[in-house]
Amino acid sequence: MTTRMTHRTGFSRQTAFSVYQALVVLPILGLLVYAAVAEPGQFTDPSLLAWIAILAVVELLPVSAWRDLHVSMGLPILIAVAVLYSPAAAAAVALVGAVDPRELRREVDPLRALFNRCQIACSIWVAGVVFHAIAAKDASVPLVLGGAVAAAAADYLVNMTLVTGAGVILYRLSPAQMIQKLRIGNLSEFLISY
């Protein structure tokens, strides 16, 4: 599950949020450009296009969480891509395939849409790094499963950190309050679904 922000607020909070968005977007885009220049072969596998298409279809079915926050159901797909490909390639799939229906209806401005995509890409990039540090594609099943669980946990921590930061700025909630708003169901239901 991945969450997205879409709330409009007053000028000062909006300005702070725009700065926050830029501080997330610019490094991620910079790292992707660097990765593409340093090792372009990791982005040339034609099957990446299929993963982007599959992700885009799944992303068109978001689940409402709280206020204007939505939860994505694309995490299993993104974790699979993070397992099968390099972290940078997985992040690129996330960036391109994380389609938000609100983008199509022009309900989110371009910077917000890019922020949503980049924070998902960042989460998956970290998940890929964690997985590949623990297991290789041809490792034993327990090692692969452990790596996948660790990758999902890393994705969750990065995603929640970035979205919580945005929510703290936009809604003037404490980080603990924001994290509570982002969790769906009771803790056991949330952990099982994740």
Side-chain angles (χ1 to χ4, degrees):
M1 291 185 266
T2 307
T3 51
R4 295 188 172 106
M5 304 294 302
T6 63
H7 189 68
R8 293 195 174 142
T9 61
F11 181 75
S12 62
R13 280 190 285 166
Q14 187 60 45
T15 300
F17 184 54
S18 293
V19 169
Y20 180 79
Q21 291 176 112
L23 291 172
V24 171
V25 167
L26 294 175
I28 295 304
L29 293 180
L31 285 170
L32 280 169
V33 168
Y34 175 78
V37 170
E39 197 177 331
Q42 65 186 319
F43 300 100
T44 59
D45 187 329
S47 64
L48 291 173
L49 295 174
W51 285 107
I52 290 169
I54 292 166
L55 178 62
V57 168
V58 170
E59 291 290 286
L60 291 173
L61 306 168
V63 176
S64 293
W66 175 75
R67 282 196 174 188
D68 294 337
L69 296 173
H70 295 263
V71 177
S72 159
M73 295 293 113
L75 180 65
I77 294 165
L78 288 169
I79 294 296
V81 173
V83 165
L84 296 172
Y85 300 93
S86 72
V93 167
L95 181 73
V96 177
V99 177
D100 184 341
R102 295 167 297 173
E103 290 176 27
L104 304 175
R105 295 188 302 262
R106 295 186 178 156
E107 294 174 357
V108 293
D109 62 77
L111 181 58
R112 182 89 43 97
L114 196 53
F115 167 77
N116 287 337
R117 288 170 179 255
C118 282
Q119 63 91 7
I120 294 167
C122 180
S123 300
I124 287 302
W125 195 319
V126 171
V129 168
V130 167
F131 176 82
H132 292 289
I134 295 172
K137 287 185 270 187
D138 57 352
S140 67
V141 171
L143 201 55
V144 170
L145 289 176
V149 169
D155 172 86
Y156 176 76
L157 288 174
V158 172
N159 180 259
M160 289 301 286
T161 299
L162 294 172
V163 173
T164 296
V168 166
I169 293 168
L170 288 174
Y171 304 118
R172 294 188 181 178
L173 296 173
S174 72
Q177 290 171 316
M178 191 63 211
I179 290 169
Q180 182 66 30
K181 299 291 185 194
L182 295 174
R183 195 177 76 210
I184 298 173
N186 67 40
L187 183 59
S188 61
E189 290 171 340
F190 174 76
L191 291 174
I192 289 169
S193 70
Y194 206 84

